[in-house]
Amino acid sequence: MTDLDVHTHLAPINAARLEGLPGVRWLPEQPALELDGHRVGVRALFEPAHLLEWMRTHAIARALVSIPPPLYRQHLPEEQALEWARYVNQELLAVCARSEGRLSAMLHLPLEHPGLLARLIEEHQDTPFGGVAIAAGGHPSIVYSDAHYAPLWEWLNDRGVFTFLHPGACADTRLARFYLENLLGNPYETGVAASHLVLAGIPARYPRIRFCLAHAGGAFTALVGRLQKGFDTQRPGVDLGVEPPLQAARRFYADGIAHHPAGLRLAREVLGQDKLLFGSDWPFPMGLEKP
């Protein structure tokens, strides 16, 4: 049996509450969730029982569940973003509470609005949850090395929280063709986020945060050697007072969604064998259908 799947998604549906949220429409007959004109129609996202059955079929004991990127809604103004974050967190916690311990919710924290983080953290001081999921980009204001995230890192460190970095949207318009926003943009965004953490010395400063990188570490595992070279040759702007990049990389966890044995071997070599965790990206086709 696989003890844990760290990368699964659900879109929690409470039809009565959704009716009062601007820009949101639940279409039960399809079923689909319409968000700001964009339709999310992956049926399994709305069916926690489907996830539990898939877990039973593949002997997976427990899963960490986060909302999928189409539900991040990173363009929302601050007050709407707060209302939306409260909805998805409360409803995802409720879904997981009905799973008899099989599912654990990862809280959604909208990093594009740093001013909201303290309010959301305060609301969940006593909440039992499985971790937090934060967007590795998708909005120009999300720069992980910025000082305004220090209170968040302190809270996560104090509680030893499992912190999942999952890419949101990629703003590079060149990636609009060929599904490249996902195929290339996702690992790129994770690489940018992890690089900011490492070069700002955040993993060493907050060692109890269990940072986990989606998609086998994305581009980070392929590029951390280049970060190390910049550190060793004292490139302009590189802070030599932080932990060296290759050493800092050993503090990260990653799921195993590499889609090629060489990518998985690279993640194992860079991060360490004990830092690779099973993740399926259920129920999306870019994930792993079988453990």
Side-chain angles (χ1 to χ4, degrees), residues 183-244:
L183 301 179
L184 180 58
N186 275 10
Y188 165 77
E189 291 291 347
T190 300
V192 171
S195 296
H196 271 274
L197 289 174
V198 164
L199 293 177
I202 290 167
R205 197 176 314 139
Y206 304 101
R208 296 188 67 240
I209 302 176
R210 291 171 289 159
F211 287 111
C212 182
L213 309 179
H215 311 125
F220 175 74
T221 54
L223 298 175
V224 66
R226 188 170 178 86
L227 301 185
Q228 183 68 45
K229 182 67 173 179
F231 185 90
D232 292 341
T233 57
Q234 304 179 28
R235 294 300 85 204
V238 176
D239 183 357
L240 303 181
V242 304
E243 188 174 42

Side-chain angles (χ1 to χ4, degrees), residues 57-100:
T57 300
H58 297 290
I60 297 169
R62 192 166 67 90
L64 299 182
V65 186
S66 58
I67 61 169
L71 272 66
Y72 289 176
R73 304 181 72 200
Q74 294 180 278
H75 61 283
L76 291 179
E78 189 167 275
E79 284 306 311
Q80 288 186 32
L82 177 60
E83 184 179 30
W84 180 245
R86 283 172 170 162
Y87 168 80
V88 294
N89 286 334
Q90 291 166 7
E91 295 301 327
L92 190 60
L93 285 163
V95 166
C96 293
R98 296 190 290 268
S99 72
E100 299 180 344

Side-chain angles (χ1 to χ4, degrees), residues 119-148:
R119 295 166 69 178
L120 289 168
I121 286 170
E122 180 65 27
E123 291 173 8
H124 292 288
Q125 287 288 8
D126 300 316
T127 301
F129 56 88
V132 302
I134 52 179
H139 192 281
S141 69
I142 296 179
V143 181
Y144 275 41
S145 56
D146 282 355
H148 55 220

